[in-house]
Amino acid sequence: PKDLPGYCTAYMVPNFKIKLVMDLLLRAANSIMKSKLVHRFFDDEAEALAWLRQMRASRRGGSPRAA
């Protein structure tokens, strides 16, 4: 899809305050950048990797595959 950004990033950050500050900074950067950054925070590496695979498949127009 054309509306997907150039970059997808998964962060594993255990501290809520750090997540809050990071989210604020990333949203500010997105507001001034031409290419957008989609980001999500995860508590588990497996969930983060599954999301990244899903995003990759969405960008390619295919289905996610197992690593």
Side-chain angles (χ1 to χ4, degrees):
K2 294 179 182 179
D3 58 339
L4 285 175
Y7 300 99
C8 300
T9 308
Y11 296 101
M12 290 181 23
V13 181
N15 187 301
F16 176 75
K17 291 179 183 178
I18 293 173
K19 285 181 191 178
L20 189 64
V21 171
M22 286 179 68
D23 190 53
L24 178 68
L25 292 172
L26 290 165
R27 287 176 186 252
N30 271 342
S31 70
I32 60 174
M33 291 174 51
K34 288 183 180 178
S35 93
K36 299 295 181 186
L37 172 69
V38 171
H39 67 279
R40 277 187 63 186
F41 295 98
F42 296 92
D43 296 322
D44 180 73
E45 182 179 5
E47 291 177 20
L49 291 173
W51 179 77
L52 287 169
R53 279 189 217 98
Q54 179 183 12
M55 295 304 291
R56 179 183 292 163
S58 296
R59 295 184 64 186
R60 291 183 179 164
S63 62
R65 59 182 182 136

